[in-house]
Amino acid sequence: MSSSDLHLWHPFTQEGVDPPALSIRSGQGVFLETQDGRRILDAISSWWVNLHGHSHPAIAEAVAQQAGRLEHVLFAGFSHEPAEELAARLGKIVPPPLRHVFFSDDGSTAVEVAMKLAVQYWSNCGRPGKRRIVALEHAYHGDTVGAMSVSDDSPFNAAFQSLRIPVLRTHSASCAHCPVGLTRDTCHIECLNKLERLLAEQGDEIAAVIVEPLLQGAGGMIVHPDEFLAGVRRLTSAHDVFLIADEVLTGFGRTGRMFACERAGIVPDLMCVAKGLTGGFLSLAATFASDRIHSAFVSGDRTHAFFHGHSYTANPIACAAANASLNIFESEPVFERIAAIEQVHARRLPAFRKHPSVLDVRHIGTVAAIELKVPESDAGYLSSLRPRLYQYFLSRGVLLRPLGNVVYILPPYVITAEELNFVYDVIQDSLAIVFPAA
Ligand SMILES: Cc1ncc(COP(=O)(O)O)c(C=O)c1O
């Protein structure tokens, strides 16, 4: 590095204590290769984006072809074939009432769009007082100011309390730490009662409820019972409040079905996707809306238009990558791979449940989590276990980024059973290192 080079400022990194970033020169399948030739098994899909393996040739080819044809054109007043094709293909897989797609850049912007659509819908309909958002405990919806506001309090947003918009907070179905002190075997999803009260008392002021359907990711890979999501849908419908499903993590097969909402048998009013949309190649997001929502934006009144957009909205190269990723769903046995991953999780997790230092294990689709027992003061994202585990995993050639005291696996779908079993073996070995007395 010469003195004129800019310093690279990495996200979610404390340079005062964290090791320098590893420079990666290539990626193939589930493996990344460092500049000095070490192979690292990417067991978290590079921040939950990669579906079909790194540098999948079909997506790489589609990107190259599109880049040579049309790299970009503004999306206000213009359109293009890759976006039109993508809308047509997504239309076949998203729940039928969601007939409208608004593209943006990443998961956070997809959430901002959904919140703004919900709020402006009520304003366009002459009910501007219906503008509040309800969000769940343990939620994470992104790092932009609106998305950060609906995310629950955490070290990520502690410095920004003054910027966060006020949000109504309700319980999550976090069964390992039940918010109402019950156990799943005998409960009747009483954690929904708080939402029911909020909607009954303040429904006239509430525009939407936002949830991560079935799986809360960054909050600790918390798996909800299907009944919880079904209950949220029932209550929001009963009180004429929109349901926003943030499928940024769960979309495109992570929970075993194309979307978590499909798995739970519900249809939201607004749905956000990003991460896996392009198979992990490029940044692209989409917010889907129902006819009812879209129709409130169409009128002779220009002020009722949705004044939101980003320079790279619906970038053609990103849309081409997304189309190529959807092709792979059709041409390769993607859901068989997903089922095979789920089977390994089901086989390997019970042994961890018995370990004296394990508080809980959970899995859904391709995602598995092992929550480690730590003193209350050391729980959460900043747990002292995290850097030790992270370094240990890397030293064994595996990329896993524990969420504090929660170790999770979220692999590309092309991982083999042998590779996944190796990841489990490494986690097993790590317990002996961090809990030598157990
Ligand atoms: C459920 C959920 N929503 C939104 C986001 C934000 O997505 P992005 O990082 O692409 O802005 C994330 C990111 O992890 C997420 O897990």
Side-chain angles (χ1 to χ4, degrees):
M1 178 169 166
S2 85
S3 60
S4 62
D5 284 354
L6 285 184
H7 159 253
L8 285 170
W9 193 337
H10 292 271
F12 286 89
T13 301
Q14 177 43 270
E15 290 177 42
V17 286
D18 287 335
L22 280 175
S23 185
I24 300 298
R25 69 177 174 205
S26 64
Q28 280 299 319
V30 289
F31 287 100
L32 299 167
E33 190 175 297
T34 61
Q35 286 296 351
D36 58 5
R38 273 201 303 139
R39 287 209 320 163
I40 298 177
L41 196 165
D42 180 359
I44 57 160
S45 303
S46 282
W47 258 350
W48 319 347
V49 299
N50 191 284
L51 304 184
H52 314 297
H54 287 280
S55 304
H56 191 293
I59 306 181
E61 174 64 20
V63 165
Q65 291 280 334
Q66 186 56 46
R69 198 176 306 128
L70 172 68
E71 87 302 350
H72 189 61
V73 62
L74 75 166
F75 211 58
F78 291 83
S79 184
H80 50 76
E81 206 181 322
E84 287 153 15
E85 181 187 337
L86 182 55
R89 302 182 72 147
L90 289 169
K92 294 198 178 75
I93 57 173
V94 301
L98 302 178
R99 297 321 321 146
H100 306 271
V101 57
F102 192 96
F103 287 112
S104 63
D105 294 349
D106 51 46
S108 304
T109 57
V111 167
E112 300 279 349
V113 166
M115 289 166 55
K116 287 173 75 171
L117 284 176
V119 168
Q120 190 179 340
Y121 169 89
W122 295 110
S123 169
N124 284 0
C125 292
R127 296 184 66 185
K130 209 164 153 66
R131 61 186 165 73
R132 304 198 71 179
I133 310 282
V134 179
L136 299 189
E137 289 161 0
H138 308 297
Y140 176 77
H141 296 287
D143 292 340
T144 53
V145 171
M148 184 176 74
S149 304
V150 281
S151 301
D152 201 358
D153 295 348
S154 79
F156 304 166
N157 53 41
F160 311 117
Q161 293 307 339
S162 59
L163 295 182
R164 290 169 78 204
I165 53 164
V167 160
L168 297 165
R169 191 74 53 195
T170 188
H171 291 321
S172 125
S174 171
C175 300
H177 305 270
C178 176
V180 289
L182 300 173
T183 60
R184 183 65 197 101
D185 332 336
T186 52
C187 87
H188 298 97
I189 320 287
E190 281 84 348
C191 49
L192 277 174
N193 294 351
K194 185 169 175 189
L195 177 64
E196 188 162 20
R197 272 198 308 279
L198 270 177
L199 292 172
E201 288 164 14
Q202 297 180 66
D204 284 351
E205 298 164 26
I206 298 173
V209 175
I210 183 165
V211 298
E212 290 157 89
L214 298 187
L215 175 68
Q216 290 185 294
M221 294 297 160
I222 299 166
V223 180
H224 295 167
D226 288 2
E227 295 89 329
F228 178 76
L229 184 56
V232 175
R233 176 67 285 187
R234 181 174 41 78
L235 292 171
T236 46
S237 297
H239 291 274
D240 203 16
V241 162
F242 292 131
L243 173 59
I244 303 171
D246 173 356
E247 295 247 15
V248 168
L249 161 60
T250 50
F252 303 102
R254 289 286 177 208
T255 67
R257 297 288 280 270
M258 197 54 124
F259 299 107
C261 287
E262 179 190 328
R263 186 177 168 130
I266 67 120
V267 177
D269 303 288
L270 290 154
M271 189 167 109
C272 311
V273 299
K275 291 196 183 279
L277 173 57
T278 61
F281 265 62
L282 285 160
S283 191
L284 179 70
T287 304
F288 304 98
S290 62
D291 272 342
R292 176 184 175 192
I293 291 175
H294 175 257
S295 64
F297 289 78
V298 182
S299 85
D301 183 346
R302 282 193 177 277
T303 67
H304 282 195
F306 187 45
F307 290 109
H308 184 109
H310 303 277
S311 312
Y312 284 97
T313 294
N315 172 258
I317 304 174
C319 290
N323 285 323
S325 174
L326 293 177
N327 276 342
I328 293 169
F329 274 96
E330 287 167 14
S331 62
E332 296 186 19
V334 177
F335 280 96
E336 284 166 35
R337 291 172 183 156
I338 288 171
I341 293 171
E342 197 159 10
Q343 277 170 18
V344 176
H345 290 328
R347 227 178 14 250
R348 293 299 302 261
L349 283 173
F352 285 87
R353 189 182 287 284
K354 293 192 197 116
H355 191 284
S357 299
V358 170
L359 181 83
D360 188 39
V361 300
R362 38 195 184 252
H363 71 106
I364 181 168
T366 63
V367 184
I370 300 166
E371 181 169 348
L372 303 175
K373 266 187 209 157
V374 287
E376 185 72 31
S377 56
D378 197 29
Y381 187 79
L382 296 180
S383 171
S384 62
L385 278 188
R386 185 197 171 276
R388 292 171 62 204
L389 287 166
Y390 177 73
Q391 281 310 320
Y392 175 76
F393 296 141
L394 272 185
S395 75
R396 297 283 307 272
V398 177
L399 169 54
L400 286 166
R401 270 178 71 93
L403 292 156
N405 55 315
V406 178
V407 179
Y408 70 91
I409 310 173
L410 198 155
Y413 303 154
V414 288
I415 195 168
T416 63
E418 193 185 343
E419 288 158 349
L420 189 50
N421 276 309
F422 173 68
V423 174
Y424 271 107
D425 293 343
V426 169
I427 297 175
Q428 183 93 46
D429 294 346
S430 77
L431 297 187
I433 308 258
V434 291
F435 301 112

